[in-house]
């Protein structure tokens, strides 16, 4: 089966494969070229150093690279890392004198397609290995692009949801966007992973989505809110959770939404969770939400300003709000200024 597929692939390829052989030993390079000439179907170029290889790949990208791991200007896995940085989409097959399984595995983990040991195997084996490497890399690249596209579609959908709510509730236009922006900045300040930060942006963008359930006149009613209106508004975290809970986000978005009005001391809603029962993302969005909401205009009151918002956070740090998050929020504002809350802040990428 293996051989059959190899032959089938060779037969269907009309143009010769442009192969860059990165090898500093002239005898080894000649031998590889000789073996490939015998089986045919390859146009070989050669580089003796990694620097030369990177220049060559840049000027004239080959179909694949056969890479020695011991070069005058690079050694071991560093060789792979530097070439991958220069040309991430290029199929790389290692061809080295070192018969080391651990190194072979490491090379694969660093994005190489295969590992050949010099002196083992003939031209047919090298040919098949390179052709498979090209095929595998193409499939891998296609998968990567599909995943990227899906991620973009997901973010665009979340943005649309966010805008849908803001169209109904013009007084809070930009609120979710600014909360998303500030939450991501706090996450960065706390040294959270890129994926968690991406989740914070997403959760922040839709944290109030449950307000879609609230009659529009309640949201834009000027003056003090009645107890009855307040009760309905307080339902929005739970409503948001119900809207989003079946979407299989790679992050706990539904929980971020349901928990963004929970408070560390258990005085929040809807579940009255305490301390660590509230997920970190929700503790961050809660702080960003309070800061943004107090410092902005609301139909029932004018903007109170950043100082009052910060005073609320400081006064209740450790009781209502996570002190570590509050400090990170203060640091972000010290560092970036209030521009992080600009009305025309771009949508988080
Ligand atoms: Fe909210």
């Amino acid at each position: 089966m293996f051989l059959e597929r190899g032959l089938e692939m060779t037969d269907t390829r009309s143009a010769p494969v442009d192969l860059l052989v990165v090898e500093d030993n002239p005898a080894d390079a000649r031998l590889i070229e000789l073996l490939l000439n015998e089986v045919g179907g390859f146009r070989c170029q050669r580089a003796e150093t990694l620097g030369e290889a990177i220049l060559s790949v840049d000027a004239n990208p080959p179909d694949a690279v056969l890479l020695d791991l011991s070069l005058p200007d690079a050694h071991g896995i560093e060789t792979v890392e530097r070439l991958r940085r220069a040309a991430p989409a290029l199929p790389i097959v290692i061809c080295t004198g070192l018969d080391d399984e651990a190194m072979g595995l490491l090379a694969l983990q660093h994005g190489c397609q295969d590992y050949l040991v010099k002196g083992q195997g003939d031209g047919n084996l090298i040919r098949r290995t390179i052709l498979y490497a090209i095929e595998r890399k193409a499939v891998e690249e296609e998968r990567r692009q599909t995943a990227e596209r899906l991620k973009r579609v997901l973010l665009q959908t979340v943005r649309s949801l966010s805008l849908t709510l803001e169209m109904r509730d013009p007084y809070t236009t930009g609120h979710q966007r600014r909360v998303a922006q500030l939450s991501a900045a706090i996450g960065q300040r706390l040294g959270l992973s890129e994926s968690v930060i991406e989740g914070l942006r997403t959760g922040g963008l839709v944290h109030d989505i449950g307000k879609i359930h609230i009659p529009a006149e309640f949201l834009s009613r000027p003056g003090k809110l009645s107890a009855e209106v307040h009760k309905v508004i307080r339902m929005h975290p739970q409503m948001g959770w119900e809207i989003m809970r079946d979407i299989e986000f790679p992050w706990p978005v539904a929980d971020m939404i349901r928990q963004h009005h929970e408070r560390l001391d258990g005085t929040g809603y809807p579940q009255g969770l305490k301390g660590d029962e509230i997920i970190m993302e929700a503790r961050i969005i809660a702080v960003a939400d309070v800061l943004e909401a107090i410092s902005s205009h609301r139909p029932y009151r004018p903007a109170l300003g950043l100082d009052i918002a910060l005073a609320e956070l400081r006064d209740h740090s450790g009781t209502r709000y996570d002190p570590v998050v509050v400090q990170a929020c203060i640091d972000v504002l010290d560092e970036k200024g209030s521009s992080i809350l600009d009305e025309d802040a771009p949508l988080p990428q």
Side-chain angles (χ1 to χ4, degrees):
M1 181 62 201
F2 184 75
L3 276 171
E4 273 171 24
R5 182 154 156 68
L7 290 172
E8 185 190 305
M9 276 177 50
T10 316
D11 288 343
T12 53
R13 193 173 177 111
S14 51
V17 172
D18 280 318
L19 180 72
L20 177 64
V21 180
V22 188
E23 174 59 71
D24 61 325
N25 183 324
D28 286 350
R30 258 198 312 278
L31 181 63
I32 291 166
E33 285 171 19
L34 201 71
L35 290 170
L36 287 175
N37 273 342
E38 273 173 19
V39 291
F42 286 87
R43 220 166 20 211
C44 295
Q45 280 180 307
R46 203 176 130 204
E48 291 188 1
T49 63
L50 185 65
E52 206 184 302
I54 290 172
L55 285 177
S56 169
V57 157
D58 215 33
N60 187 18
D63 295 313
V65 174
L66 202 58
L67 180 68
D68 186 13
L69 285 185
S70 180
L71 296 167
D73 56 345
H75 209 82
I77 209 66
E78 174 216 348
T79 322
V80 176
E81 286 172 340
R82 284 173 53 195
L83 185 58
R84 289 258 303 144
R85 262 202 303 277
L90 202 61
I92 301 172
V93 173
I94 301 298
C95 186
T96 172
L98 202 67
D99 187 0
D100 179 346
E101 211 169 294
M103 179 54 90
L105 269 175
L106 195 64
L108 292 186
Q109 284 160 359
H110 278 75
C112 289
Q113 266 58 54
D114 218 322
Y115 188 92
L116 289 169
V117 178
K118 286 176 190 172
Q120 290 182 4
D122 55 6
N124 273 316
L125 178 75
I126 303 175
R127 178 185 66 173
R128 212 165 43 232
T129 305
I130 291 168
L131 291 179
Y132 276 17
I134 293 171
E135 186 102 335
R136 265 200 307 274
K137 188 69 189 178
V139 171
E140 195 183 287
E141 191 59 16
E142 203 179 303
R143 278 203 197 124
R144 191 190 61 76
Q145 285 177 12
T146 306
E148 281 289 311
R149 206 165 37 244
L150 278 175
K151 219 164 107 179
R152 264 200 315 276
V153 169
L154 181 66
L155 189 60
Q156 285 158 352
T157 311
V158 169
R159 284 175 183 173
S160 296
L161 269 173
S162 181
L163 285 174
T164 307
L165 177 69
E166 293 188 359
M167 278 174 183
R168 277 188 82 237
D169 182 12
Y171 287 97
T172 55
T173 298
H175 165 70
Q176 296 186 105
R177 192 188 309 181
R178 290 189 294 267
V179 169
Q181 191 100 314
L182 182 55
S183 299
I186 294 173
Q188 252 154 14
R189 183 85 204 177
L190 290 172
L192 302 179
S193 73
E194 204 37 59
S195 167
V196 174
I197 292 168
E198 216 175 308
L200 276 169
R201 282 197 189 102
T202 308
L205 268 180
V206 283
H207 72 276
D208 272 342
I209 193 68
K211 285 188 177 172
I212 207 102
H213 170 78
I214 300 169
E217 65 269 24
F218 281 20
L219 296 174
S220 52
R221 189 172 285 186
K224 208 169 158 29
L225 301 175
S226 71
E228 172 215 355
V229 171
H230 213 72
K231 196 174 154 197
V232 175
I233 289 180
R234 281 168 65 109
M235 290 165 75
H236 79 274
Q238 180 68 26
M239 288 301 164
W241 181 78
E242 277 168 34
I243 292 169
M244 305 297 271
R245 68 174 169 174
D246 289 334
I247 304 180
E248 287 181 41
F249 285 105
W251 318 282
V253 172
D255 285 337
M256 293 184 217
I257 293 171
R258 180 155 65 169
Q259 297 180 10
H260 79 276
H261 282 284
E262 298 289 356
R263 299 294 177 247
L264 226 55
D265 54 7
T267 56
Y269 60 91
Q271 295 170 287
L273 301 178
K274 278 186 183 172
D276 285 348
E277 291 171 344
I278 309 166
I279 58 171
M280 176 54 111
E281 291 93 330
R283 281 183 263 157
I284 292 174
I285 292 176
V287 165
D289 186 27
V290 164
L291 187 108
E292 203 290 324
I294 295 181
S295 58
S296 307
H297 171 77
R298 284 290 178 276
Y300 45 88
R301 57 149 177 80
L304 298 175
L306 206 53
D307 289 344
I308 293 190
L310 283 170
E312 158 72 18
L313 291 181
R314 281 201 184 97
D315 289 352
H316 301 286
S317 174
T319 48
R320 292 181 192 166
Y321 312 112
D322 186 324
V324 175
V325 177
V326 170
Q327 190 53 53
C329 179
I330 292 168
D331 292 345
V332 165
L333 285 162
D334 277 351
E335 190 189 315
K336 298 187 194 275
S338 58
S339 63
I340 189 106
L341 294 168
D342 279 353
E343 180 67 34
D344 55 357
L347 278 170
Q349 291 303 308

